[in-house]
Amino acid sequence: MTHIPTAPTDRHVILHHAPQTRSFGTLALLLELDADHELHVLNMKTGEQRQPAYLAINPMGKVPAISHLGALVTEQPAICIYLGDLYADRGLAPQIGDPLRGPYLRWLVFYGSCFEPALIDKAQKRAPAPPGSSPYGDFDTMLNTLTQQLSQGPWLLGDRFTVADMLWGTALRWTTQFGLVEATPLIQGYIDRVMARPSLVRATALDAQLLAAQAG
């Protein structure tokens, strides 16, 4: 029997968020977890993320960032791990002792250590570093490794939907929209399944409202 840890008493989270950015995935994750949260919305078009008030929170001037009990968590994989464990009772994060814990962490970290660097090189039309020093080898190897895993679907870890799917589903959505990743039937089918979840539908509508409010 899987052990579900006792939930902490104070799980209120502040999400530092900007509409139409990668922090959309964290917004959707908070809704998926039915998490106690509030939004601190930044207007990137006016450069609010580079102003002293926000740089005092996150010196990198990036979103997403979350605050919980005075602690700051940045970087999407770290945020996913943190929120999945903070809301472990929701069952979306395999815990220590669960055979899926290792693969779950692997794919969350793979996003930042391999997928993102490969995307940046491709977007900038840069050749990868030599195989011995490239964090991802080459783009095709990186993407084939991911698609082989997705082929075991319907979710990244097979039959079990996890926090990792919130990260990868939203990431693949924007990367296919920008033409950085080809929307093959396998990848598009995975994106469609993730985006059809009620939390993603709600997050999409909320993000559009926030964007419209900033447009004035």
Side-chain angles (χ1 to χ4, degrees):
M1 180 180 294
T2 302
H3 172 66
I4 302 296
T6 304
T9 340
D10 186 353
R11 298 194 285 179
H12 182 75
V13 171
I14 300 170
L15 169 62
H16 306 280
H17 171 69
Q20 284 197 330
T21 66
R22 297 181 194 186
S23 63
F24 170 82
T26 303
L27 173 64
L29 176 56
L30 288 167
L31 296 178
E32 179 75 28
L33 293 169
D34 192 23
D36 176 11
H37 71 280
E38 65 180 278
L39 296 181
H40 171 211
V41 182
L42 298 160
N43 190 330
M44 288 206 162
K45 291 182 179 178
T46 64
E48 194 175 355
Q49 78 280 11
R50 296 293 178 187
Q51 297 304 310
Y54 186 60
L55 292 177
I57 296 171
N58 182 4
M60 291 293 288
K62 300 194 306 179
V63 293
I66 63 168
S67 303
H68 175 241
L69 297 178
L72 175 72
V73 186
T74 68
E75 313 313 316
Q76 290 185 87
I79 290 170
C80 286
I81 293 168
Y82 191 90
L83 290 176
D85 288 348
L86 181 63
Y87 282 88
D89 54 311
R90 305 297 197 247
L92 294 184
Q95 297 297 296
I96 296 293
D98 187 322
L100 287 179
R101 179 68 178 189
Y104 168 75
L105 294 177
R106 173 198 175 192
W107 287 107
L108 286 172
V109 175
F110 186 90
Y111 174 83
S113 62
C114 295
F115 185 72
E116 283 274 1
L119 283 179
I120 297 302
D121 281 346
K122 182 175 182 178
Q124 298 296 320
K125 297 182 170 54
R126 295 190 304 232
S133 55
S134 171
Y136 62 89
D138 61 79
F139 189 88
D140 290 341
T141 298
M142 179 282 298
L143 192 60
N144 287 340
T145 302
L146 173 62
T147 54
Q148 285 172 12
Q149 182 69 22
L150 289 177
S151 69
Q152 301 174 36
W155 307 115
L156 188 65
L157 299 182
D159 292 331
R160 183 170 174 183
F161 180 85
T162 70
V163 167
D165 293 298
M166 299 295 291
L167 173 65
W168 280 102
T170 54
L172 287 171
R173 176 177 173 244
W174 71 261
T175 52
T176 53
Q177 287 176 338
F178 284 99
L180 296 171
V181 173
E182 182 184 356
T184 63
L186 174 66
I187 289 175
Q188 190 60 54
Y190 175 71
I191 294 169
D192 291 344
R193 286 191 293 279
V194 174
M195 294 303 298
R197 295 183 72 84
S199 63
L200 270 299
V201 175
R202 289 170 56 207
T204 300
L206 176 56
D207 211 45
Q209 291 172 10
L210 295 172
L211 184 66
Q214 289 184 348

